[in-house]
Amino acid sequence: MRKSEIDATVRAELNRLRESIDNIDAAVVHMLAERFKATQQVGRLKADHKLPPADPARETRQIARLRELAQSANLDPAFAEKLLNFIIAEVIRHHERIAEEAENGQARNA
């Protein structure tokens, strides 16, 4: 079936759903940006006080918490865990960079 053969009602519904998905994707990006702003502040605080970039105990608690939230939202908890692990790895990388910059006396730009 070609695009031109799709019923107008089906096409309209498909477009409506895709617009909703696009809006949700934009919200996710903005929420991630806010999250990373907060984690950058955590990284600076850790660097200023010579704390390690990673906090495995907190990460474990966060993963368990997110898995529970995912389950209650009917989202695959394994997927949620993979996503959070990816985010945590990126945060740790940022914290390591911030700590290195602080150690070297470099300017701390986010």
Side-chain angles (χ1 to χ4, degrees), residues 2 4 15 24-25 49-50 53 65 67 72 80 92 96 105:
R2 288 188 221 151
S4 60
N15 288 338
I24 293 166
D25 287 347
H49 295 278
K50 309 244 186 283
R65 180 178 161 269
R67 286 183 67 90
S72 68
I92 291 169
E96 289 169 344

Side-chain angles (χ1 to χ4, degrees), residues 21-35:
I21 291 167
D22 291 349
N23 289 336
I24 293 166
D25 287 347
V28 167
V29 167
H30 288 283
M31 292 300 295
L32 282 171
E34 287 301 311
R35 188 186 196 288

Side-chain angles (χ1 to χ4, degrees), residues 45-87:
L45 187 61
K46 284 180 172 184
D48 290 346
H49 295 278
K50 309 244 186 283
L51 298 171
D55 184 344
R58 173 163 166 75
E59 294 158 19
T60 298
R61 288 190 309 272
Q62 284 296 94
I63 289 168
R65 180 178 161 269
L66 195 71
R67 286 183 67 90
E68 288 177 19
L69 288 170
Q71 186 138 16
S72 68
N74 294 318
L75 179 67
D76 179 5
F79 169 77
E81 182 174 346
K82 286 177 191 175
L83 177 62
L84 187 60
N85 279 326
F86 179 78
I87 292 169

